[in-house]
Amino acid sequence: MVHSRSSKDLSTHLKKNLWSGVFFGIGLVAFIDETVFHQLLHWHHFYDKATTAIGLVSDGFFHAFSWFLTVGGLFMMADVRRRKVWQPKEWVAGVLLGAGGFQLYDGIIQHKLMRLHQIRYHVNIVPYDMVWHITSVLMVLIGIVLLVRFAKKTGAVSENAQ
């Protein structure tokens, strides 16, 4: 880390470092969901309350959203790397927080509350939901642990508390 920068400038870039990981994580897990469950396995579409054609269009918008976040996150990471303030461990924590947070949102809000789609149809959904939610929570928890360790190691906790 470069110490000649002001602490405010450095704090801004560290936040950008974390957010680039979060955006990349959301985009990555959304891309995997769309590719595996929508395209390869044909288990569902992003929006299953209408025709297959509308489901395919909704998948296209979902795919565009995932790539927008993935590419945006990578551009942000390139910027923090160019400024020589990239912190890979914090970035990985951001990726896990973004991926797990999006998957948890998808599983609870989109699957259960909004009922846009289920993971799979015509099967006992409970095992699928359990794997989905447990995986989501594990990613979020690991991301939090990594972020806390990074903050303690770099002193970011004491700087932010002041």
Side-chain angles (χ1 to χ4, degrees):
M1 197 174 327
V2 178
H3 295 289
S4 63
R5 301 182 189 275
S6 72
S7 62
K8 184 177 180 183
D9 185 43
L10 189 58
S11 174
T12 299
H13 294 305
L14 288 174
K15 287 177 186 173
K16 188 183 257 188
N17 185 73
L18 177 65
W19 278 106
S20 71
V22 170
F23 291 158
F24 180 80
I26 293 170
L28 178 66
V29 82
F31 171 76
I32 291 169
D33 176 16
E34 202 267 329
T35 301
V36 174
F37 299 112
H38 298 220
Q39 293 178 6
L40 297 175
L41 297 175
H42 299 207
W43 282 1
H44 63 264
H45 296 292
F46 178 76
Y47 184 73
D48 276 340
K49 290 185 168 190
T51 65
T52 301
I54 290 174
L56 289 172
V57 169
S58 71
D59 286 346
F61 283 118
F62 182 53
H63 192 67
F65 163 79
S66 70
W67 273 111
F68 177 77
L69 283 176
T70 303
V71 171
L74 290 175
F75 270 102
M76 289 173 72
M77 183 183 77
D79 182 54
V80 294
R81 287 186 61 120
R82 180 180 60 83
R83 296 172 189 272
K84 300 188 185 332
V85 291
W86 186 56
Q87 299 295 317
K89 290 179 184 175
E90 183 188 36
W91 189 80
V92 169
V95 171
L96 289 168
L97 288 170
F102 178 78
Q103 191 167 319
L104 197 57
Y105 161 80
D106 184 37
I108 293 172
I109 305 299
Q110 293 181 353
H111 294 184
K112 300 305 172 196
L113 296 178
M114 296 173 72
R115 297 195 160 286
L116 294 178
H117 61 267
Q118 290 297 321
I119 296 171
R120 194 164 181 199
Y121 294 96
H122 312 297
V123 297
N124 179 6
I125 196 71
V126 173
Y128 293 92
D129 283 342
M130 288 182 66
V131 168
W132 193 269
H133 296 305
I134 289 169
T135 304
S136 303
V137 170
L138 285 174
M139 284 191 285
V140 169
L141 289 175
I142 293 168
I144 290 170
V145 167
L146 290 175
L147 194 57
V148 168
R149 284 185 180 173
F150 173 81
K152 285 182 181 177
K153 187 175 184 177
T154 62
V157 172
S158 61
E159 288 176 18
N160 290 335
Q162 295 177 349

